[in-house]
Amino acid sequence: MTTLRTGGAEAPRTLPAALLTGCVRSATRAPSLHNSQPWLFRITGDAVEVHADPRRRLNALDPAGRELFISVGAALFTLRLAIRREGFLTRCTLFPDPDDENVVARVALGRPAAPSPPVAALADAIAQRHSNRGPFTEVPVPAVALELLRDAAGREDAVLSVADAATRDAIVALSRAADRTLRARGGYRAEKTRSARQARRDGTPHLPVGPWDALESVPTRDFGLLPPQPAVTGPFEPYPMILVLATAGDDRRHWVTAGQALQRVLLTATRQNLATTPVSQPVEVPAVRRRLTAGADGLWAQMVVRIGYGRPAPASPRRDLSEVLMPD
């Protein structure tokens, strides 16, 4: 069990500015839609404000900003964990400014408390975690590892379910249907191409974009590259393991909750030497998204995740700290 506690009544001790800035740098390693990194941070004394950066929202793919807030939620969890690793509890307030929804959270230092070994190990996974869109092996994921992932989601008020064979096949089919629907949207191709070119300017290596699935059994995305990326074919696992992350509601708070749960699940998977691939196509089309949690009363699917054992893959680059750290 890995508990990331908050609160504490004692007066906080000051964390050196360099360490607090380092925690922000760790937060920028969180996953985000198309590596858009739609977050900003402001350090104010012994607290860090976490902001959404609306300029980096992908309008065609994410018109409501749901995935933007999920991405910021992932960064928020990473920030909380990084501060916890430095020996402090945290007090986290979501949407502290009722007049500005882009101020997503304020994370204040609580009382000093040494991190437990499980918390420290989870924090160590921040630098190791990254999406892997290559083929996975057919080695099954142990039941004990799946239980740890479910527990990780539950600790952040989300629900993680493992797709059975019929649901898995439906998700793969739904992903293709969703991708066709998305391609029909105005601006979709241009937005993906612009995102890919921006990523290349930042030095994104080729492999994280993902090879083409020769068997078409895994829901991968071409990222709008024009001309198409060099063909990298290979035998993907014929029966991918698919997880569905869901929350009990579907507003901006639940989206942030989903992001925190997603990052906790991904980091927990990394600790188990599992490779992960967040898959967003099925949840970017409302009609498809509703089918992912059909029969589950009160649950809203927020993200699909493919997991398994794969070869190491390079990480994508991150924006420079000067681009995301706002002046006090």
Side-chain angles (χ1 to χ4, degrees):
M1 297 291 185
T2 305
T3 301
L4 197 65
R5 294 179 293 167
T6 61
E10 297 179 16
R13 186 180 66 200
T14 299
L15 185 64
L19 292 181
L20 198 53
T21 300
C23 293
V24 171
R25 181 177 284 105
S26 292
T28 67
R29 300 186 68 94
S32 59
L33 175 64
H34 283 216
N35 199 33
S36 54
Q37 305 173 57
W39 43 62
L40 296 168
F41 304 88
R42 175 181 284 124
I43 297 175
T44 58
D46 283 327
V48 181
E49 291 178 355
V50 182
H51 294 238
D53 186 349
R55 300 168 301 176
R56 301 183 76 85
R57 178 165 63 88
L58 303 179
N59 294 320
L61 290 172
D62 188 28
R66 184 184 64 84
E67 290 184 86
L68 177 146
F69 282 110
I70 289 176
S71 300
V72 176
L76 170 60
F77 178 81
T78 313
L79 174 67
R80 290 172 49 213
L81 180 60
I83 292 174
R84 189 70 191 89
R85 176 175 53 187
E86 294 298 337
F88 288 85
L89 302 182
T90 60
R91 296 189 299 272
C92 181
T93 305
L94 291 183
F95 298 102
D97 185 349
D99 298 322
D100 188 353
E101 70 170 14
N102 290 320
V103 184
V104 173
R106 184 176 188 274
V107 182
L109 296 185
R111 64 177 176 83
S116 66
V119 166
L122 195 65
D124 288 343
I126 293 172
Q128 302 167 14
R129 184 224 63 83
H130 50 268
S131 297
N132 187 330
R133 295 182 173 86
F136 293 170
T137 71
E138 295 185 47
V139 176
V141 177
V144 65
L146 293 175
E147 190 57 36
L148 288 171
L149 299 182
R150 290 191 191 95
D151 179 73
R155 288 176 176 273
E156 299 301 324
D157 298 323
V159 176
L160 189 72
S161 59
V162 180
D164 58 23
T167 304
R168 177 200 64 220
D169 293 344
I171 287 174
V172 173
L174 287 171
S175 296
R176 298 195 193 106
D179 207 44
R180 288 193 296 269
T181 300
L182 290 167
R183 287 172 185 274
R185 286 183 182 173
Y188 172 70
R189 172 65 66 172
E191 186 169 85
K192 289 209 305 179
T193 302
R194 184 171 59 252
S195 175
R197 286 173 176 167
Q198 178 62 47
R200 284 183 171 183
R201 285 198 299 272
D202 290 341
T204 299
H206 168 66
L207 288 177
V209 173
W212 180 254
D213 177 10
L215 298 179
E216 295 190 345
S217 61
V218 177
T220 58
R221 173 179 266 163
D222 66 7
F223 282 76
L225 296 178
L226 297 174
Q229 59 181 322
V232 182
T233 60
F236 276 69
E237 66 276 22
Y239 306 110
M241 175 162 281
I242 302 292
L243 311 178
V244 178
L245 181 73
T247 57
D250 195 38
D251 58 22
R252 59 182 185 171
R253 286 180 175 269
H254 289 102
W255 300 340
V256 173
T257 292
Q260 296 198 82
L262 174 65
Q263 178 66 331
R264 183 157 199 154
V265 167
L266 298 178
L267 292 175
T268 302
T270 299
R271 284 189 61 194
Q272 303 300 311
N273 295 317
L274 287 165
T276 56
T277 313
V279 182
S280 58
Q281 293 102 311
V283 289
E284 289 168 356
V285 177
V288 174
R289 183 180 171 219
R290 284 192 294 270
R291 293 183 60 183
L292 294 176
T293 48
D297 292 339
L299 288 181
W300 293 79
Q302 302 293 354
M303 188 60 65
V304 171
V305 181
R306 165 181 165 244
I307 67 167
Y309 296 97
R311 296 178 180 177
S316 298
R318 289 297 183 262
R319 299 166 67 186
D320 190 81
L321 196 61
S322 63
E323 297 180 54
V324 300
L325 195 55
M326 304 165 66
D328 186 2

